[in-house]
Amino acid sequence: MMKIALLVVACLASLTFAQIPSFGSCPKVKTQKKLDINRYLGYWYEILLFPTIFEKGKCTRAKYSLKPNGHIEVFNRGIEKGKENNIVGDAFRPDDNEQGKLKVRFSESQPYGDYWVIHTDYDNYSLIYSCGNVAGIFHVEMAWVLGRNMTLDPTITQQLKDELASYKVDVSKFKATDQTDCPA
């Protein structure tokens, strides 16, 4: 029995180091009601993020492309210690009645996770949020502010942070992504 308890604690600990953990349940966050997937496709540059163990370095960006099966290919890339890292994922919208709630994964051996579009204007910015409850004790959050360009007007960035904070999300966890001296 002690071995099982230690295994559970080890698994929960690994989750907490992967994203931003907080006590209690996930906050209730509203997603964008209408999301035009075709307008969302293309390149997005990471402006801000909640730090994660799987995403380090600089020049982080994603390219979203429509796949023949209606899913979305997510091609993420960044530079860490002078070397480009990339990964390809699969995303889809499971329910057309909740258009801003997408699911994404980056390995066929993992379950799909939330990729919630809280707010996008398609041409300049996108605010993304993900949260998972763990054992009813705490939740693990991820969030991103994305831009169509490598920089985003600080006024817009602040408005997006304020919007997410209005849902009781601690936006002090955001850190800026270095987009200087990045390749095209």
Side-chain angles (χ1 to χ4, degrees):
M1 187 65 161
M2 183 62 142
K3 287 182 183 179
I4 292 173
L6 288 173
L7 180 62
V8 169
V9 169
C11 289
L12 291 175
S14 70
L15 282 174
T16 64
F17 292 117
Q19 293 86 26
I20 301 292
S22 299
F23 285 107
S25 297
C26 290
K28 299 219 183 294
V29 176
K30 293 181 183 175
T31 59
Q32 187 157 313
K33 289 185 187 231
K34 298 214 180 271
L35 181 66
D36 183 337
I37 295 293
N38 289 314
R39 288 186 64 200
Y40 197 80
L41 300 175
Y43 285 97
W44 287 98
Y45 297 89
E46 184 180 87
I47 307 300
L48 299 173
L49 81 153
F50 282 14
T52 65
I53 196 167
F54 56 83
E55 193 176 324
K56 298 176 183 170
K58 61 184 269 175
C59 304
T60 307
R61 64 195 67 189
K63 181 181 180 191
Y64 299 87
S65 306
L66 199 57
K67 295 166 67 171
N69 67 356
H71 281 215
I72 302 160
E73 179 182 276
V74 182
F75 178 73
N76 284 351
R77 74 177 198 177
I79 296 175
E80 183 180 7
K81 297 179 182 172
K83 181 182 173 202
E84 182 177 310
N85 295 313
N86 60 60
I87 189 167
V88 178
D90 178 73
F92 71 101
R93 179 170 41 216
D95 184 351
D96 283 338
N97 293 317
E98 295 186 287
Q99 292 191 7
K101 292 184 177 183
L102 305 179
K103 294 285 191 180
V104 66
R105 72 177 179 187
F106 289 91
S107 168
E108 288 187 17
S109 63
Q110 73 177 161
Y112 282 91
D114 293 337
Y115 180 102
W116 288 6
V117 180
I118 306 306
H119 191 174
T120 187
D121 75 346
Y122 304 101
D123 298 321
N124 299 292
Y125 62 82
S126 188
L127 175 60
I128 308 302
Y129 181 72
S130 177
C131 188
N133 288 309
V134 180
I137 301 168
F138 64 94
H139 61 277
V140 180
E141 296 175 297
M142 294 181 283
W144 296 266
V145 171
L146 308 176
R148 288 292 191 182
N149 296 299
M150 290 183 198
T151 60
L152 190 59
D153 180 322
T155 305
I156 294 173
T157 302
Q158 188 59 52
Q159 289 170 350
L160 295 172
K161 288 169 68 176
D162 291 347
E163 181 176 356
L164 195 56
S166 75
Y167 297 117
K168 308 289 188 246
V169 176
D170 180 2
V171 297
S172 71
K173 298 171 186 175
F174 272 123
K175 79 168 197 144
T177 299
D178 183 358
Q179 291 287 356
T180 58
D181 301 321
C182 297

